[in-house]
Amino acid sequence: MKKTILSGQEEQINLMIERIFEISGKILPVGSTIGMIGKVIQMRENGADELNIHKQISGVTGISLSDPRIAEIIFEIEEKPNQNTYMPFNNSQFEDLKKILDSE
């Protein structure tokens, strides 16, 4: 069961990376993108101001600080995973868990 949850998390991160690529309009280095995601989450947890978070994203993506796409990327990193978690009927992790439980 733990492997299914991990696979769900990996899937969610992969979707987040793909969406960031779509928003930025270019394919970014995956390692840098994953690092940026982690750094933005860490910065938010540590109470960093919005400008520093925007600078972090801009530095990796090359998007201007005033570009509204930065807000879209922040949404993908901070809000979208929560929506996927709390919308169980649109959640692949929930579906995987349901299949496991139905098979037992």
Side-chain angles (χ1 to χ4, degrees):
M1 187 160 139
K2 188 170 182 128
K3 184 173 171 73
T4 302
I5 291 172
L6 183 61
S7 295
Q9 289 172 345
E10 288 174 350
E11 179 183 337
Q12 190 167 347
I13 290 169
N14 287 336
L15 291 172
M16 186 184 306
I17 291 168
E18 288 175 19
R19 184 69 182 119
I20 290 170
F21 291 172
E22 288 174 17
I23 293 167
S24 69
K26 57 187 164 186
I27 305 241
L28 305 165
V30 174
S32 297
T33 305
I34 291 171
M36 176 193 69
I37 292 167
K39 184 71 174 170
V40 167
I41 292 168
Q42 179 185 26
M43 290 173 78
R44 185 64 81 195
E45 288 173 351
N46 292 332
D49 63 27
E50 208 64 29
L51 179 60
N52 285 327
I53 292 171
H54 284 227
K55 285 180 180 178
Q56 174 67 32
I57 294 169
S58 177
V60 173
T61 63
I63 297 172
S64 164
L65 289 174
S66 61
D67 193 313
R69 293 180 294 171
I70 289 196
E72 291 180 54
I73 291 173
I74 290 171
F75 176 81
E76 291 297 322
I77 294 171
E78 296 178 357
E79 299 298 326
K80 193 85 174 251
N82 291 333
Q83 287 182 357
N84 290 341
T85 300
Y86 296 112
M87 297 171 113
F89 298 104
N90 295 327
N91 184 330
S92 62
Q93 290 177 350
F94 178 78
E95 290 300 320
D96 292 343
L97 180 60
K98 187 173 182 289
K99 287 176 189 172
I100 290 168
L101 292 173
D102 287 345
S103 69
E104 292 179 356

